[in-house]
């Protein structure tokens, strides 16, 4: 249902000399009409922009656009920027969306907004359910996209009209700029007007938007003398003289606003348009704006002036009762002032809430506001803040006025500004919160609150100015008598901000110093956890072995009752996995860390430890458990409205888990989605480095070497080390790309440096970084003995860790670099190990390699079986190049590739399930074979299929079957 049109300034039905603009509107409306009645047709544009200086008729054009849209029975959503309310975050967004949402019941709203309700609740002025989350800006933007898209489809076709865009608050402008390109694919037309010379600095993307894709703005021109004459004669009659009309044009400069106002004034004075009327005409023209307008206002009386000034401070539209209270006017005096201002064409009825008033033109509001003496204007803002709070409009409305009031050391001002900042943070409006908290510090706050205010300010600046965050948090730490829990939160955020600004060593030092000074055992543990986290992320930590020993001794003493203890246990699990300790050790600590819960979205702890614990299961051959934890973490991020860097991390590294299982297509999809999310986040985020590294590894596994090279070059991904520990290790992945391109010498040099770095840190697990395996491959053509030595050492390390996938991969590489008849047995051992793991792609590689070795040894029947198995596995994994190699090996052996024998399904067959159950019960392979009337090799193949499908090894089978029994599956 279309909303009512705005009141036109005059009774004219046709805008003068705006034929080109009106034709553009009509053409856009015709295109919009063609988008209904089924599938929308292609449209040339979804954005129509009109620009021009003040007074050129943009508001009148918007009024006409509304009227024509209503006549077409389009739904109209409208908003207007305000010069005095640019600091009110999402003000224009609320103007556009709230009227439609206000017509829905609470139940309808929750159905309409669905899972986005809590993310956009604070933005749209709705009541959040439960503890209000603090969504990130990306989540808010996507939530608003969802709301506008839903509104558009529900009320199609829709015309969104925004007047005075140059005064739009930055948050609304940012959202509109990002959303506008979607309008072409929706039954939606966006119409905006703005003054090009008054666009704010942050409007750069909007300028680019209107310059591209045929959206160039229609620049409004001044009226010609003939146009002015037409307006004047419309008001006072055709008898108006040519000279008189020409002088009207000179007096107004051809401004449509001034011309219309002058013509109305001439009509009210009943002038005929003769030369005798010229002095009066000039007097009227001078009173339309500037000093003349103020003089005209002052002639209306002191009370009326005060009411108008208060209205200018409040901004359009405003409630007359609120203005009267601030101006200290009774009901009769306020009503009288309102009528005088209406008659003088300064105020008019608003088009929003019933009873609201607004200025006839923004120029009038600006002129009156700027004419108020500084001291008196400050007093009005101060009174407005108090009145707004008393009237129940909330802290954010009041805070706008407090920003215009000098600092007076008032605690109540600080309280209001902090509450308003919290509202903005809940809406993802970090910059607006920053402005308010900066002002709160200047007030200043009471000494006992200063550390808390600095901490809140740091939370607001983290995403937009991390260097300032470090400064604020250092100041907070320097405050006396800081609450221990607050201090712990300050340290966490300070070290995180340092880590994001290339100060990892300093982050470690800060956490270590705070841990040393802490007297509360719980806080001390938390500081130690922060110290260990940033030490592990730091690539140049020379004390890594010492820290590992300290962490091991500390973890041994902790039962895991508190969250602080569980974080230490989780770090111990991760460190044990990277050092290559027996996987039973790392998995036991991981289980202990998760007992009692560990959130991925704790704003004062971060997600690094929960993510690391999940990866312990992946490296320990239980990727299904890792996938479950990642799914839970991603769901937490989405529920909290975190659609930025946290979600990007979750998606990209979840892709790595898919890769390790051998689900290469799913891995590629997940990583590309993570990179898409990361690209939307301002600044370079670490998730991009993780994602690029994982995607290149995945593309190489799929045989798309040229694509991997192009992707690497496009992201400047090369041999240079990054300033943090990334996994998979970027230099090792780049070496894998070099090996795929046949550049063995370059790869060997790079991998030797990686090995020296990792061995120096005591990180010796080939499951985490297979640098020795890749170095063996690189050296094999020129230094085969050295290559075998590296491969044998990798096998030894893999056996120490104990994951079958790691042992199998190491044996596979040893077989490749050994060659000859002895390689056949090594390949067989690799296959045997990998069959006991969920690593489907690595198993297929080993099977193809074993088959090729058997073929070379003349054992064709065995070779055929292995090659068929490898081919089948490669196809199911999405490894096209590996499948092609298997077919080539079959052909070279004189064997014809057969159709795939087994469909790729995730559910267990009855035979697989029974085999798993008997194995969990402790029966040996021979006993299971006898029970199921199979060969022992047949049982091993069934178990191998079970491990791949379930994403676990033998150690995780019992847990799966127990969960299956509980759910009745």
């Amino acid at each position: 249902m279309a909303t009512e049109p705005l009141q036109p300034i005059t009774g004219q039905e046709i805008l003068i000399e705006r034929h080109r603009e009106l034709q553009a509107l009509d053409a856009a409306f015709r295109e919009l009409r063609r988008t209904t009645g089924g599938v929308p047709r292609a449209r040339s544009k979804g954005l129509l922009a009109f620009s021009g200086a003040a007074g050129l008729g943009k508001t009148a054009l918007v009024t006409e656009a509304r009227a024509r849209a209503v006549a077409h029975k389009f739904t109209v959503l409208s908003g207007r920027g305000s010069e005095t309310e640019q600091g009110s975050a999402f003000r224009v967004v609320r103007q556009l969306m709230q009227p439609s949402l206000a017509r829905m019941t609470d139940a309808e709203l929750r159905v309409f907004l669905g899972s986005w309700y809590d993310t956009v609740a604070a933005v749209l002025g709705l009541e959040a359910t439960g503890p209000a989350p603090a969504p990130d800006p990306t989540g808010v933007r996507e939530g608003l996209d969802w709301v506008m898209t839903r509104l558009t489809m529900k009320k199609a076709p829709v015309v969104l009209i925004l007047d005075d865009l140059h005064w739009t608050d930055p948050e609304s402008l940012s959202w509109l700029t990002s959303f506008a390109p979607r309008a072409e694919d929706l039954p939606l037309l966006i119409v905006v007007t703005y003054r090009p010379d008054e666009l704010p600095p942050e409007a750069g993307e909007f300028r680019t938007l209107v310059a591209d894709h045929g959206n160039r703005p229609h620049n409004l021109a001044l009226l010609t003398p003939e146009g002015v004459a037409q307006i004047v004669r419309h008001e006072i009659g055709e008898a108006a003289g040519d000279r008189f009309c020409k002088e009207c044009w000179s007096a107004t400069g051809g401004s449509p606003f001034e011309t219309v106002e002058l013509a109305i004034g001439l009509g009210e004075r009943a002038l005929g348009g003769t030369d005798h009327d010229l002095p009066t005409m000039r007097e009227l023209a001078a009173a339309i704006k500037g000093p003349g307008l103020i003089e005209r206002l002052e002639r209306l009386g002191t009370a009326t002036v005060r009411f108008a000034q208060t209205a200018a401070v409040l901004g359009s539209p405003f409630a007359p009762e609120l203005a009267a209270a601030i101006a200290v006017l009774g009901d009769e005096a306020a009503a009288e002032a309102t009528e005088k201002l209406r008659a003088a064409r300064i105020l008019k009825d608003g088009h929003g809430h019933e009873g609201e008033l607004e200025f006839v033109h923004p120029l009038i509001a600006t002129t009156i506001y700027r004419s108020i003496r500084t001291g008196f204007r400050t007093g009005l803002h101060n009174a407005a803040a108090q009145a707004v709070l008393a009237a129940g409009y909330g802290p954010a409305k009041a805070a706008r006025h407090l920003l215009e009031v000098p600092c007076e050391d008032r605690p109540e001002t600080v309280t209001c500004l902090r509450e308003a900042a919290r509202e903005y943070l809940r809406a993802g409006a970090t910059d607006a919160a920053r402005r308010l908290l900066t002002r709160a510090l200047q007030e200043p706050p009471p000494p006992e609150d200063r550390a808390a205010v600095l901490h809140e300010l740091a939370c607001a600046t983290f995403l937009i100015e991390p260097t300032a965050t470090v400064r604020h948090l250092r100041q907070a730490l320097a405050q006396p008598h800081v609450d221990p829990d607050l201090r712990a939160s300050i340290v966490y955020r300070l070290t995180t901000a340092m880590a994001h600004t290339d100060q990892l060593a300093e982050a470690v030092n800060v956490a270590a110093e705070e841990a040393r000074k802490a007297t509360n055992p719980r806080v001390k543990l938390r500081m130690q956890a922060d110290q260990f986290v940033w030490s592990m992320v730091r690539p140049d930590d020379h004390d890594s072995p010492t820290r590992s020993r300290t962490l091991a001794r500390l973890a041994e003493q902790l039962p895991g009752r508190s969250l602080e203890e569980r974080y230490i246990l989780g770090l111990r699990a991760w460190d044990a996995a990277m050092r290559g300790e027996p996987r039973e050790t790392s998995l036991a600590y991981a289980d202990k860390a998760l007992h009692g819960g560990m959130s991925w979205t704790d704003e004062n702890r971060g997600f690094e430890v929960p993510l690391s614990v999940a990866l312990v299961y992946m490296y320990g051959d239980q990727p299904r458990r890792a996938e479950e934890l990642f799914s839970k973490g991603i769901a937490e991020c989405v529920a909290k409205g975190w659609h930025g860097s946290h979600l990007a991390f979750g998606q990209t590294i979840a892709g790595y888990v898919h890769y390790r299982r051998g689900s290469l297509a799913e891995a590629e999809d997940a990583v590309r989605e993570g990179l898409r999310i990361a690209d939307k986040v301002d600044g370079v985020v670490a998730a991009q480095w993780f994602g690029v590294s994982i995607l290149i590894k995945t593309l190489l596994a799929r045989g798309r070497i040229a694509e991997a090279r192009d992707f690497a070059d496009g992201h400047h991904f090369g041999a240079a080390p990054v300033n943090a520990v990334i996994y998979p290790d970027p230099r090792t992945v780049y070496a894998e790309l070099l090996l795929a391109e046949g550049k063995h010498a370059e790869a060997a040099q790079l991998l030797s440096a990686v090995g020296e770095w990792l061995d120096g840190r005591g990180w010796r697990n080939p499951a985490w970084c297979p640098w020795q395996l890749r170095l063996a491959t690189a050296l094999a053509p020129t230094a085969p003995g050295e290559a075998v030595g590296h491969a044998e050492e990798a096998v030894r390390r893999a056996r120490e860790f104990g994951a079958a996938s790691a042992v199998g991969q190491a044996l596979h590489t040893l077989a490749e670099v050994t060659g000859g008849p002895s390689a056949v047995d090594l390949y067989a051992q690799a296959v045997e190990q990998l069959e006991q793991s969920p690593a489907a792609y690595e198993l297929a590689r080993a099977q193809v390699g074993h088959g090729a070795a058997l073929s070379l040894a003349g054992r064709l029947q065995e070779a055929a079986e292995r090659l068929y198995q490898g081919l089948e596995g490669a196809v199911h994994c999405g490894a096209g190049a590996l499948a092609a190699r298997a077919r080539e090996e079959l052909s070279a052996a004189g064997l014809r590739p057969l159709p795939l024998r087994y469909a790729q399904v995730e559910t267990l067959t009855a035979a697989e399930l029974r085999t798993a159950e008997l194995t969990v019960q402790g029966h040996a392979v021979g006993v299971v074979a006898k029970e199921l009337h199979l060969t022992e090799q047949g049982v091993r193949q069934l178990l191998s299929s079970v491990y791949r499908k379930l994403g676990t090894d033998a150690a995780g089978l019992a847990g799966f079957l127990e969960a299956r029994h509980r759910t009745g599956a």
Side-chain angles (χ1 to χ4, degrees):
M1 183 176 67
T3 54
E4 291 301 316
L6 287 164
Q7 287 184 328
I9 291 178
T10 72
Q12 291 176 249
E13 297 180 355
I14 301 176
L15 295 175
I16 303 301
E17 297 184 344
R18 293 293 180 257
H19 304 297
R20 182 174 61 91
E21 290 79 8
L22 293 175
Q23 286 175 354
L25 270 173
D26 288 339
F29 286 165
R30 284 195 297 272
E31 277 200 333
L32 183 61
R33 172 62 65 190
R34 289 199 296 268
T35 64
T36 59
V39 179
R41 300 184 189 179
R43 296 161 60 206
S44 61
K45 66 173 64 177
L47 173 68
L48 195 57
F50 300 98
S51 68
L56 286 188
K58 297 183 295 299
T59 299
L61 190 61
V62 160
T63 301
E64 181 65 22
R66 274 182 71 93
R68 294 191 180 200
V70 170
H72 279 282
K73 293 183 170 52
F74 296 158
T75 299
V76 178
L77 309 178
S78 61
R80 173 182 289 173
S82 170
E83 183 179 20
T84 58
E85 295 196 69
Q86 294 179 74
S88 299
F90 294 112
R91 172 182 175 274
V92 168
V93 163
R94 291 188 180 191
Q95 287 181 335
L96 294 171
M97 299 185 187
Q98 271 186 340
S100 297
L101 299 177
R103 298 187 181 99
M104 301 181 192
T105 65
D106 184 65
E108 290 172 336
L109 264 177
R110 293 182 186 282
V111 171
F112 182 78
L113 298 178
S115 61
W116 290 102
Y117 186 96
D118 284 338
T119 301
V120 299
V123 176
L124 299 175
L126 306 174
E127 183 178 350
T129 57
D136 60 26
T138 304
V140 170
R141 186 164 60 244
E142 292 188 354
L144 292 176
D145 289 351
W146 165 263
V147 176
M148 181 52 68
T149 301
R150 289 272 287 157
L151 282 175
T152 298
M153 301 313 296
K154 181 181 178 69
K155 298 174 175 291
V158 173
V159 178
L160 187 156
I161 298 177
L162 178 53
D163 195 12
D164 289 335
L165 176 137
H166 52 281
W167 285 335
T168 297
D169 60 272
E171 291 77 15
S172 295
L173 180 59
S174 174
W175 168 75
L176 182 70
T177 302
S178 68
F179 180 77
R182 297 191 180 193
E184 295 180 10
D185 301 318
L186 295 170
L188 171 68
L189 174 67
I190 300 174
V191 181
V192 299
T193 70
Y194 63 96
R195 302 176 191 174
D197 295 338
E198 296 185 37
L199 281 172
E202 56 267 23
E205 291 186 11
F206 172 77
R207 290 181 185 273
T208 302
L209 174 69
V210 297
D212 293 341
H213 310 299
N215 291 324
R216 292 187 180 277
H218 296 270
N219 298 312
L220 303 185
L222 292 165
L223 295 174
T224 64
E226 292 75 20
V228 171
Q230 187 176 350
I231 293 173
V232 169
R233 286 174 176 143
H234 181 275
E235 289 293 333
I236 66 175
E238 295 296 327
D242 290 344
R243 182 168 180 267
F244 180 87
C245 291
K246 186 67 176 288
E247 288 298 318
C248 288
W249 176 77
S250 297
T252 61
S255 163
F257 164 68
E258 294 181 45
T259 300
V260 169
E261 292 297 316
L262 175 59
I264 292 172
L266 295 173
E268 290 174 346
R269 295 286 188 95
L271 300 181
T274 65
D275 289 354
H276 177 73
D277 296 328
L278 286 175
T280 304
M281 182 274 291
R282 294 190 181 102
E283 178 185 339
L284 289 171
I288 293 172
K289 66 176 185 176
L293 170 62
I294 302 306
E295 290 175 9
R296 178 159 62 96
L297 174 61
E298 289 173 347
R299 290 196 293 269
L300 300 180
T302 303
T304 304
V305 170
R306 195 160 69 246
F307 188 84
Q309 290 174 334
T310 302
V313 165
L314 287 173
S316 288
F318 65 92
E321 300 83 5
L322 186 61
I326 298 169
V328 196
L329 296 177
D331 292 344
E332 291 186 8
E336 181 181 351
T338 299
E339 289 309 312
K340 287 182 179 180
L341 292 168
R342 274 199 186 101
R345 295 193 50 73
I346 291 174
L347 292 181
K348 64 177 182 177
D349 292 333
H351 65 281
H353 298 294
E354 186 176 350
E356 285 187 331
L357 298 172
E358 61 183 32
F359 285 94
V360 166
H361 195 278
L363 275 174
I364 297 174
T366 299
T367 300
I368 294 174
Y369 182 80
R370 294 177 181 176
S371 74
I372 307 172
R373 297 188 311 276
T374 302
F376 186 57
R377 185 167 66 230
T378 298
L380 284 176
H381 277 295
N382 190 38
Q386 298 178 39
V388 164
L389 276 176
Y393 286 95
K397 288 281 188 182
R400 173 178 81 81
H401 298 287
L402 291 175
L403 291 176
E404 307 298 331
V405 177
C407 301
E408 296 178 346
D409 196 15
R410 295 192 306 175
E412 60 270 23
T413 295
V414 175
T415 299
C416 179
L417 291 169
R418 290 176 70 185
E419 290 177 356
R422 290 186 196 111
E423 285 188 23
Y424 283 147
L425 285 175
R426 285 196 294 270
T430 52
D431 195 43
R434 177 192 59 80
R435 293 192 296 269
L436 298 182
L437 291 166
T438 300
R439 172 63 178 78
L441 277 176
Q442 296 166 351
E443 184 66 15
E448 63 271 19
D449 291 339
R450 184 170 179 81
V453 176
L454 284 164
H455 175 253
E456 291 165 11
L457 177 58
C459 295
T461 59
F462 181 79
L463 292 175
I464 55 179
E465 202 177 354
T467 303
T469 299
V470 172
R471 184 173 67 253
H472 298 319
L473 291 171
R474 283 192 178 279
Q475 293 173 6
L477 278 184
Q479 302 304 306
H481 312 302
V482 179
D483 175 81
D485 286 332
L486 174 60
R487 190 174 190 89
S489 181
I490 291 171
V491 171
Y492 165 70
R493 291 188 179 276
L494 174 58
T495 54
T496 303
M498 287 175 167
H500 281 74
T501 52
D502 297 333
Q503 301 177 66
L504 274 171
E506 186 64 14
V508 172
N509 292 337
V510 167
E513 177 63 16
E514 288 297 318
R516 186 186 64 79
K517 293 190 300 186
T519 56
N520 183 303
R522 182 172 56 81
V523 173
K524 186 178 186 71
L525 271 180
R526 182 169 173 185
M527 296 300 96
Q528 288 174 313
D530 287 345
Q531 178 188 358
F532 288 126
V533 165
W534 302 123
S535 295
M536 290 177 180
V537 173
R538 180 182 171 188
D540 59 345
D541 181 20
H542 303 297
D543 296 327
S544 182
T546 302
R547 293 192 199 282
S548 293
R549 288 192 293 270
T550 302
L551 177 58
R553 287 194 301 269
L554 180 60
E556 284 177 0
Q557 307 167 19
L558 302 177
R561 285 190 293 263
S562 69
L563 189 57
E564 288 77 16
E565 292 182 357
R566 293 199 296 276
Y567 267 63
I568 294 292
L569 295 172
L571 288 165
R572 172 70 176 108
W574 176 247
D575 189 59
M578 296 184 77
R579 290 174 58 78
E581 296 180 35
R583 72 181 186 122
E584 291 80 10
T585 300
S586 58
L587 289 172
Y589 276 114
D591 289 341
K592 203 172 178 182
L594 292 177
H595 186 72
M598 190 178 286
S599 172
W600 290 52
T601 58
D602 187 326
E603 296 180 41
N604 291 317
R605 296 181 188 273
F607 64 94
E608 290 83 3
V609 175
L611 182 146
S612 299
V613 171
L615 289 177
V616 167
Y617 291 100
M618 179 190 77
Y619 292 121
D621 274 355
Q622 295 184 19
R624 183 187 186 92
R625 178 67 172 134
E627 287 175 343
E628 291 171 352
L629 293 170
F630 271 96
S631 296
K632 175 178 175 291
I634 290 170
E636 277 189 50
C637 291
V638 172
K640 199 160 188 176
W642 290 4
H643 291 249
S645 58
H646 290 75
L647 189 59
F649 260 111
Q651 288 285 359
T652 53
I653 304 183
Y656 192 29
V657 181
H658 292 318
Y659 167 86
R660 300 276 301 200
R661 285 191 68 173
S663 303
L664 301 182
E666 292 86 345
E668 181 176 348
D669 290 343
V671 177
R672 289 192 185 279
E673 174 63 12
L675 287 170
R676 183 192 68 80
I677 296 168
D679 288 342
K680 295 191 299 181
V681 180
D682 292 336
V684 177
V685 294
Q688 290 173 316
W689 283 109
F690 282 85
V692 170
S693 194
I694 297 166
L695 185 56
I696 290 174
K697 197 171 180 69
T698 304
L699 291 173
L700 291 175
R702 305 195 74 181
R704 288 146 57 184
I705 299 171
E707 187 177 346
R709 166 55 69 183
D710 290 343
F711 187 75
D713 292 346
H715 287 80
H716 308 289
F717 185 85
V722 294
N723 59 356
V725 174
I726 306 293
Y727 32 89
D729 173 60
R731 288 186 291 172
T732 302
V733 172
Y734 189 67
E736 291 175 2
L737 174 58
L738 293 174
L739 287 172
E741 294 172 329
K743 301 174 183 177
H744 288 68
E746 284 184 61
Q749 184 178 1
L750 184 57
L751 289 164
S752 296
V754 173
E756 184 178 349
W757 168 57
L758 289 177
D759 278 354
R761 296 198 63 156
W763 291 352
R764 302 164 62 83
N765 189 350
W768 184 80
C769 181
W771 69 270
Q772 282 182 307
L773 304 180
R774 305 300 175 256
L775 181 56
T777 302
L779 293 173
T782 56
E786 192 176 346
V788 169
H790 281 293
E792 288 177 339
E793 174 61 15
V795 170
R796 187 186 67 79
R797 293 182 179 186
R799 291 192 188 280
E800 285 183 358
F801 180 56
S805 63
V807 176
Q809 289 179 64
L811 286 168
H812 182 187
T813 299
L814 179 58
E816 287 180 324
V817 300
T818 299
S822 57
V824 175
D825 184 56
L826 290 171
Y827 274 120
Q829 292 178 47
V831 171
E832 182 182 359
Q833 287 290 327
L834 288 165
E835 284 180 335
Q836 299 172 52
S837 83
Y841 168 64
E842 294 298 336
L843 173 61
R845 284 185 65 235
Q847 287 169 332
V848 172
H850 190 203
L854 288 168
S855 176
L856 194 62
R859 296 159 62 179
L860 295 184
Q861 185 174 354
E862 296 171 82
E865 179 64 20
R866 272 288 187 255
L867 289 170
Y868 286 139
Q869 290 173 348
L871 172 60
E872 200 153 49
V875 171
H876 289 159
C877 288
L882 181 61
R885 183 195 166 195
R887 292 188 178 98
E888 289 171 3
E889 293 288 351
L890 284 166
S891 178
L895 302 169
R896 187 172 59 185
L898 299 175
L900 298 183
R901 291 170 291 180
Y902 307 109
Q904 176 73 345
V905 294
E906 293 300 318
T907 56
L908 297 183
T909 64
E912 290 168 344
L913 179 59
R914 185 59 183 152
T915 301
E917 290 172 340
L918 291 171
T919 302
V920 167
Q921 292 169 14
H923 297 298
V925 171
V927 175
V928 176
K930 186 174 181 180
E931 173 74 19
L932 299 180
H933 306 291
L934 296 170
T935 65
E936 291 189 8
Q937 179 59 28
V939 171
R940 292 190 184 96
Q941 289 181 355
L942 284 174
L943 283 174
S944 177
S945 179
V946 168
Y947 299 144
R948 293 196 306 275
K949 288 183 178 181
L950 300 186
T952 188
D953 61 356
L957 267 187
F960 167 77
L961 293 178
E962 182 181 346
R964 187 177 187 276
H965 178 73
R966 285 199 307 268
T967 58

